[in-house]
Amino acid sequence: MGWQRACRLEELPVAMTRPVTVADEPLLLCRLDEQEIYAIEDCCSHDDAPLAGGTLDGRQIVCPRHGARFDVTSGAVLKMPAPVAIAVFPVRLTDDGWIEVEVAP
Ligand code: FES
């Protein structure tokens, strides 16, 4: 599949998240500052619930259900009850203002 358009940069304000579906993959875009954006799988490893709607706290996303925390830059678990890391996908910005995510073929 390679690089796929996710959304326009202006649709994702700084310090906010946005759920998107890219190549049938539910993802959550997390914008930490002007140029630093991450794409994580939108699924908590605790109970398979969406992370969309959770709070972005610096580099951490807080699951809205039971409060697990993940590092959005690596997917690592930072707070239980999530048992394992979540996937993180490569992100790039295009010259014409798109956020693109690289999804596996
Ligand atoms: S579903 Fe995320 S912490 Fe329980």
Side-chain angles (χ1 to χ4, degrees):
M1 300 251 174
W3 291 99
Q4 305 284 317
R5 285 181 173 178
C7 74
R8 301 277 309 164
L9 182 60
E10 63 266 23
E11 295 175 315
L12 180 61
V14 171
M16 299 297 286
T17 64
R18 182 181 179 88
V20 294
T21 301
V22 177
D24 294 327
E25 193 82 43
L27 305 177
L28 188 67
L29 300 177
C30 303
R31 186 171 182 184
L32 304 190
D33 62 26
E34 286 301 322
Q35 298 290 316
E36 192 173 7
I37 297 168
Y38 294 89
I40 59 175
E41 66 174 308
D42 191 10
C43 185
C44 180
S45 62
H46 175 230
D47 201 21
D48 294 337
L51 290 165
T55 302
L56 187 61
D57 180 12
R59 304 172 85 84
Q60 300 178 20
I61 185 78
V62 183
C63 179
R65 289 198 64 204
H66 311 109
R69 286 177 177 256
F70 299 91
D71 183 328
V72 303
T73 71
S74 67
V77 177
L78 299 174
K79 183 175 177 230
M80 298 288 274
V84 295
I86 56 173
V88 178
F89 298 80
V91 172
R92 71 181 181 187
L93 299 176
T94 68
D95 290 341
D96 58 350
W98 285 93
I99 300 169
E100 292 187 340
V101 180
E102 187 176 37
V103 290

